[in-house]
């Protein structure tokens, strides 16, 4: 499994944001449509009905965000050492992104956790948003784009690629 832009690709499955586990919210992109996963947001939005697909609340990398992650890690470590007899601080959930699906039936807001601990690069976020828009351009475009993303995920064995390769892949999937 690997993260490429706003997508988490695991063995051919493509998710917007992190792959959900248990009852956590998530969004999966399949050849049939956009699947809402998790507690309180089940459903399938067929591609033929989807007019637009956008993501908001995307955490973008910044120096302040990186410092915050390092500070939280340091505080967690100190608290765990100081409270070795107790459980320590509870982990906070990653940032939540909003995936908006506009369809003939109206607009639907779905939640998905961000997969990037310190946020996404602005370039990856922009390319990912363009790719989501591309998926709504028609069945042939959606089918070939999703197939390329899934195939890459099935053949990828060594985790998330570096930034330059992720951006290259997003541009490739966009046809740029």
């Amino acid at each position: 499994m690997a993260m490429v832009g706003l997508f988490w690709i695991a063995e051919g499955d493509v998710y917007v944001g992190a792959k959900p586990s248990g009852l956590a919210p998530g969004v999966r992109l399949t050849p049939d449509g956009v699947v809402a996963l998790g507690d309180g947001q089940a459903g399938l939005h067929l591609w033929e009905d989807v007019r637009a697909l956008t993501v908001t609340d995307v955490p973008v990398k910044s120096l302040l965000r990186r410092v915050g992650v390092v500070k939280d890690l340091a505080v967690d470590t100190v608290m765990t050492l100081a409270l070795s007899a107790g459980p320590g601080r509870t982990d906070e959930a990653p940032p939540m992104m909003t995936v908006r699906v506009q369809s003939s039936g109206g607009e639907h807001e779905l939640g998905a956790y961000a997969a990037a601990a310190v946020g996404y690069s602005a370039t990856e976020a922009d390319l990912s948003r363009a790719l989501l828009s591309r998926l709504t351009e028609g069945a042939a475009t959606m089918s070939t784009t999703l197939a390329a993303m899934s195939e890459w995920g099935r053949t990828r064995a060594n985790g998330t690629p570096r930034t330059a390769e992720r951006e290259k892949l997003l541009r490739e999937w966009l046809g740029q």
Side-chain angles (χ1 to χ4, degrees), residues 29-141:
L29 306 176
T30 71
D32 294 327
V34 180
V35 181
L37 303 168
D39 194 27
Q41 64 173 35
L44 169 66
H45 304 280
L46 298 173
W47 286 116
E48 60 214 33
D49 296 329
V50 175
R51 307 282 183 259
L53 190 57
T54 58
V55 180
T56 58
D57 308 318
V58 175
V60 177
K61 281 184 188 177
S62 68
L63 180 58
L64 188 56
R65 181 176 292 283
R66 290 180 193 187
V67 168
V69 168
V70 171
K71 177 195 67 87
D72 289 347
L73 180 60
V75 169
D76 285 347
T77 301
V78 169
M79 293 298 286
T80 300
L81 292 173
L83 301 172
S84 57
R89 257 176 55 156
T90 58
D91 290 334
E92 292 182 23
M96 180 72 74
M97 301 186 300
T98 303
V99 180
R100 286 194 170 86
V101 181
Q102 290 181 343
S103 69
S104 53
E107 183 171 295
H108 310 277
E109 289 188 356
L110 309 174
Y113 286 118
V118 295
Y120 301 94
S121 75
T123 301
E124 282 186 271
D126 290 343
L127 289 169
S128 297
R129 286 181 175 120
L131 188 55
L132 286 168
S133 178
R134 180 173 170 73
L135 291 173
T136 65
E137 291 176 358
T141 301

